[in-house]
Amino acid sequence: MLKDILHGCGQLFFAESAKEAIERLPNLLPDIILLDIVMPEMDGWAMCEYLKNDVRYAEIPIIFITGHDEQEFEKLSLELGGIDFINKPFNPKICKLRVQNHLKLHYQTKLIAQGREQLQKMVKQVPVLITYWDVDWRNLFSNDYLGTWFGVPHKPEDNIGMTTILPHELCQAIQSQATNNDEVNFIVEAKVNGRTRHYQVFQSPFQQTGNTGRYLVTLIDVSEEKEAKIALYSEKERLRITLNSIGDAVIATDEQGCITFMNPIAERLTGWRFCEANNQKIDSIMPLQDANTKRPLINPLYLALKEQRILTMALNCELVARSGATIAVDDSAAPIRNLDGEVIGAIMVFHDVSEAIATAMAMASKMSHLANHDQLTNLPNRILLQDRLSVACSAAFATNEKVGLLLIDIDHFKYLNDSLGHHFGDELICLMAKRLKALLPESYTLARLGGDEFVILMTGINSHESISGLADKIVENMHEQFKLAEQFYSVSVSVGVSIFPDDAEDTEQLMRHADVAMYRAKQEGRNRYSFFSDDLEAALLQRHQQEKTLRAALKDNNILVYYQPKYDLVSERIVGAEALARLQGEDGEIISPAQFIPLAEESGLILELGEQVLYKACSEAKRLLYNGANIPISVNVAAAQFNSPELEQHVQKALSEYGLPSFMLELEITETALMIDPQLTKKKLDKLKSLGISISIDDFGTGYSSLSYLKTYNVDIMKIDMSFIKDMLSNKHDYEIVKTIISLGQSMGLHLVAEGVETRDQRRALIKLGCPTAQGYLYSPPVTAEQFLSLIKSEQ
């Protein structure tokens, strides 16, 4: 009877005795157990107690089914852990409904447990201490399960007080600033394991009821930031004190020769106070004359500005002070350049020659240092590097040793510099120089060539292993994030390696080959190093030819656009397409996007390329609409294109020019581009969304996402990168990543698209996980516009 009644509820197994049931249970592990009371060998109550005492079966719901209808029987059954009691004879429909309801409850309980487990995993991985407290400051939750932060491992059920978990100073600061209605944000200092640490504390009330409050408190360790600020302040103060206390007079001007700074010595020698001389021309504050003829002399600072080079004062020169007294001086003037090498002013350093020859020698040494060192990082510049490189190669030739040259370039530095501003770009350069220097022994030279390029000169090398070991260490250490403007930023580097005398006969060739090797590292995906080889020069020539081809194609509007269809996984019908740029070489062959897209980014052509693809995709979408296909076309937006202030205007113009409904256009933006400036990103996305188009996050999971930012962005679609789809059925970690991304997207109400689907097994797995849409070679490779239209018509 039960078999007929419960048909369709699930797979049923029967046992005619408790002994048989106990033997079969380990292999079955059922979702629910229906249990009679009167049975041979062991009655139902004893069987129930046995099951509840075994951790393997304790959570399995038990429904008693019996002919006994006494209330005492039902009471005892429920007390022993049963969830329901069905009397015989029973109503078949009611019996089935009860079993179905309990199965639903059991399934929902399992889903809740899985959700909690996933949340626990996510919370454990964030580098933030997350805690939750009751009104008496007893802990209700903490993600510090292992006691990593303060050495006190605990679980929420421990219900221990704040002073047990956190340092005393930290407890006092949090409790004293806690509020019932407002959020507070403050920094506190506390000693942890004998070291003074600084923490950013965020406290907010949570689930208040009457006068009873609960508090959500998160902590971020900002000790390194604090120490960096202290070091930066000390450096600035050291520089100020140095300029004010040195024995030389210093005057700085803008590019017009108007004074912007004077130190006390300059005030004393000229007789002018800085507050009076500020913004005045230098020749009115520091008039010069020939000591013999008394004829006025041109201030060398003007020549330094005009000729953009360092100049020294003419011999036998006198300064006419404000009082009319004359002072024999010796000086030099040097232009001041910004990061782009543009002259933005000049600096004049002079002193009273009569006071001491030693002062003149010191000044000469200072000027020599300025000429041979980078002004931003104080590292050796190209001039000093070339000198040391020549000496190193000569010594290596004599001792039969090798010289290693590593050229380091920051990946995508231009985008970060343009987004954050040059001030933060300079700060990043300085932090990078500091980190690189910490990796090198004293015998090596770290130099800055300018921009975002560094060079490491390795001497006394006997094997390639030591060079590759250092290159490995450099690439790996760059993974640690840099903190700029209260935000963490991740950067990577590309490193080119050239070895003397293996790869080059002289220093010039050694530098050039390191540069070629560095470009190879960028072509291979960045975030890596590459040794020079003979075929690299040929590859560089090929790169120049491809750039020429790309420029010609853009000029003549000859960029090809292919379309890869997106399919509904269940119905297997086309529901969209991704527009993909293609470049045709002079020989008629299609050049791989993996070659010309990075080339377009490096050469600054990516904006023009993205604009051309956008217009062609809108034109094709209009043609599809004319043929009765309301299929949206998605267009990729590069990071530089997304940061362009003209993106919104281009999108609006393209929609208007082709009369295309906005729902037919979708922009695909990589998560890396979205993370550069979260506030600016949100404003830009809101503007784009106001046009009525859809926004997709491309290649999700491959960048450095911040979930706290992601939840605030106004996006519609999340694309799962093909790198995870490829091995999801053979690699447990990839499968769990895909599962987590789908779960995250569903929880945020985003439409999900899987990239790179190639097999039916992948399709079935994605359907089971809840992913509705996919694109990949299982259905179609990227095809021409005509081929894509044929696919649409064949479906129709």
Side-chain angles (χ1 to χ4, degrees), residues 129-164:
L129 177 61
I130 303 173
T131 59
Y132 186 41
W133 310 85
D134 65 13
V135 68
D136 297 319
W137 293 104
R138 301 188 69 82
N139 186 256
L140 302 176
F141 172 80
S142 171
N143 65 341
D144 190 18
Y145 306 106
L146 302 178
T148 306
W149 282 72
F150 304 110
V152 183
H154 60 284
K155 300 177 182 177
E157 56 265 29
D158 295 341
N159 198 26
I160 55 181
M162 176 177 279
T163 55
T164 305

Side-chain angles (χ1 to χ4, degrees), residues 545-557:
Q545 181 60 42
Q546 288 178 354
E547 182 177 348
K548 181 180 176 182
T549 303
L550 177 59
R551 289 184 184 275
L554 289 171
K555 180 180 178 181
D556 299 331
N557 198 29

Side-chain angles (χ1 to χ4, degrees), residues 365-419:
S365 176
K366 285 179 180 290
M367 296 307 297
S368 175
H369 183 85
L370 286 173
N372 289 283
H373 289 78
D374 174 57
Q375 295 182 19
L376 179 62
T377 62
N378 201 37
L379 293 176
N381 60 14
R382 187 183 296 270
I383 297 173
L384 184 55
L385 173 66
Q386 187 65 39
D387 181 63
R388 293 186 181 180
L389 186 58
S390 298
V391 173
C393 290
S394 298
F397 183 80
T399 59
N400 199 27
E401 293 180 324
K402 300 179 186 295
V403 173
L405 193 72
L406 281 67
L407 179 60
I408 303 167
D409 185 88
I410 305 175
D411 297 331
H412 302 302
F413 177 76
K414 183 179 184 299
Y415 302 142
L416 188 65
N417 201 33
D418 292 344
S419 301

Side-chain angles (χ1 to χ4, degrees), residues 179-194:
T179 63
N180 291 327
N181 300 310
D182 301 320
E183 297 181 352
V184 293
N185 174 5
F186 55 94
I187 293 179
V188 67
E189 178 179 303
K191 280 204 171 185
V192 180
N193 297 328

Side-chain angles (χ1 to χ4, degrees), residues 241-344:
I241 294 173
T242 299
L243 289 175
N244 289 338
S245 59
I246 60 176
D248 296 315
V250 179
I251 297 179
T253 72
D254 60 16
E255 65 272 24
Q256 303 300 324
C258 295
I259 294 175
T260 58
F261 172 80
M262 292 177 67
N263 72 345
I265 298 297
E267 291 179 334
R268 180 173 62 82
L269 292 180
T270 62
W272 289 86
R273 297 176 63 192
F274 173 60
C275 59
E276 300 171 312
N278 191 22
N279 290 325
Q280 292 196 48
K281 289 286 188 178
I282 189 171
D283 50 4
S284 64
I285 303 300
M286 186 185 175
L288 302 175
Q289 66 181 21
D290 186 275
N292 296 326
T293 65
K294 306 302 179 181
R295 294 180 59 182
L297 297 175
I298 297 176
N299 195 300
L301 183 134
Y302 287 114
L303 295 176
L305 288 171
K306 181 181 179 181
E307 299 179 11
Q308 298 188 8
R309 63 187 181 90
I310 299 172
L311 292 171
T312 58
M313 184 179 294
L315 296 174
N316 202 25
C317 182
E318 289 181 343
L319 164 67
V320 181
R322 188 177 188 182
S323 64
T326 58
I327 305 169
V329 292
D330 186 10
D331 71 4
S332 61
I336 302 172
R337 302 177 185 273
N338 60 16
L339 187 63
D340 296 325
E342 300 168 340
V343 175
I344 58 173

Side-chain angles (χ1 to χ4, degrees), residues 16-280:
E16 295 184 354
S17 68
K19 180 181 179 182
E20 181 185 350
I22 290 172
E23 291 175 351
R24 301 186 66 183
L25 272 172
N27 295 323
L28 297 179
L29 290 177
D31 291 303
I32 199 166
I33 295 175
L34 278 64
L35 184 61
D36 205 340
I37 292 179
V38 179
M39 295 187 300
E41 303 170 0
M42 181 188 294
D43 62 30
W45 294 324
M47 181 65 177
C48 181
E49 286 187 286
Y50 169 82
L51 294 172
K52 294 301 179 182
N53 289 329
D54 193 318
V55 294
R56 295 174 296 174
Y57 318 125
E59 298 300 323
I60 301 176
I62 297 175
I63 300 176
F64 282 93
I65 297 183
T66 180
H68 295 282
D69 59 354
E70 291 86 353
Q71 290 186 356
E72 193 62 27
F73 278 71
E74 183 175 357
K75 176 175 177 293
L76 180 58
S77 299
L78 296 177
E79 286 177 345
L80 290 172
I83 62 168
D84 208 346
F85 188 93
I86 302 177
N87 295 104
K88 293 190 254 184
F90 36 71
N91 183 298
K93 291 184 178 179
I94 293 177
C95 178
K96 185 174 184 179
L97 284 172
R98 285 189 174 188
V99 172
Q100 285 177 329
N101 286 340
H102 286 301
L103 279 170
K104 289 179 181 178
L105 286 173
H106 184 59
Y107 178 68
Q108 290 172 355
T109 301
K110 290 171 67 176
L111 287 179
I112 291 172
Q114 290 174 0
R116 285 177 177 172
E117 182 181 0
Q118 291 174 359
L119 180 60
Q120 290 278 15
K121 289 181 179 179
M122 291 177 63
V123 168
K124 285 173 67 176
Q125 292 176 7
V126 296
V128 179
L129 177 61
I130 303 173
T131 59
Y132 186 41
W133 310 85
D134 65 13
V135 68
D136 297 319
W137 293 104
R138 301 188 69 82
N139 186 256
L140 302 176
F141 172 80
S142 171
N143 65 341
D144 190 18
Y145 306 106
L146 302 178
T148 306
W149 282 72
F150 304 110
V152 183
H154 60 284
K155 300 177 182 177
E157 56 265 29
D158 295 341
N159 198 26
I160 55 181
M162 176 177 279
T163 55
T164 305
I165 301 174
L166 306 182
H168 178 69
E169 300 96 324
L170 200 54
C171 295
Q172 286 188 326
I174 293 173
Q175 294 175 7
S176 64
Q177 300 193 48
T179 63
N180 291 327
N181 300 310
D182 301 320
E183 297 181 352
V184 293
N185 174 5
F186 55 94
I187 293 179
V188 67
E189 178 179 303
K191 280 204 171 185
V192 180
N193 297 328
R195 292 183 59 193
T196 300
R197 309 293 293 176
H198 297 84
Y199 299 94
Q200 182 86 37
V201 181
F202 298 86
Q203 180 272 325
S204 59
F206 196 78
Q207 292 186 358
Q208 294 184 350
T209 304
N211 294 325
T212 301
R214 294 186 175 185
Y215 305 98
L216 180 64
V217 179
T218 59
L219 280 79
I220 303 175
D221 191 337
V222 295
S223 303
E224 285 73 17
E225 176 198 359
K226 189 76 173 178
E227 292 170 0
K229 286 183 176 179
I230 293 172
L232 180 60
Y233 175 81
S234 299
E235 191 63 29
K236 287 183 176 179
E237 187 66 9
R238 187 182 300 112
L239 178 60
R240 185 185 67 83
I241 294 173
T242 299
L243 289 175
N244 289 338
S245 59
I246 60 176
D248 296 315
V250 179
I251 297 179
T253 72
D254 60 16
E255 65 272 24
Q256 303 300 324
C258 295
I259 294 175
T260 58
F261 172 80
M262 292 177 67
N263 72 345
I265 298 297
E267 291 179 334
R268 180 173 62 82
L269 292 180
T270 62
W272 289 86
R273 297 176 63 192
F274 173 60
C275 59
E276 300 171 312
N278 191 22
N279 290 325
Q280 292 196 48

Side-chain angles (χ1 to χ4, degrees), residues 496-510:
V497 182
S498 181
I499 303 172
F500 177 87
D502 300 8
D503 300 329
E505 297 177 352
D506 53 43
T507 59
E508 181 180 350
Q509 194 177 46
L510 190 66

Side-chain angles (χ1 to χ4, degrees), residues 455-506:
V455 170
I456 294 176
L457 172 61
M458 302 174 64
T459 56
I461 305 301
N462 294 313
S463 66
H464 291 186
E465 285 74 15
S466 58
I467 301 176
S468 61
L470 178 58
D472 263 326
K473 190 185 298 184
I474 291 170
V475 173
E476 181 181 351
N477 273 265
M478 290 308 110
H479 290 168
E480 184 179 346
Q481 292 181 320
F482 292 95
K483 190 165 188 179
L484 300 171
E486 301 299 324
Q487 301 290 337
F488 287 97
Y489 295 92
S490 298
V491 299
S492 62
V493 296
S494 298
V495 183
V497 182
S498 181
I499 303 172
F500 177 87
D502 300 8
D503 300 329
E505 297 177 352
D506 53 43

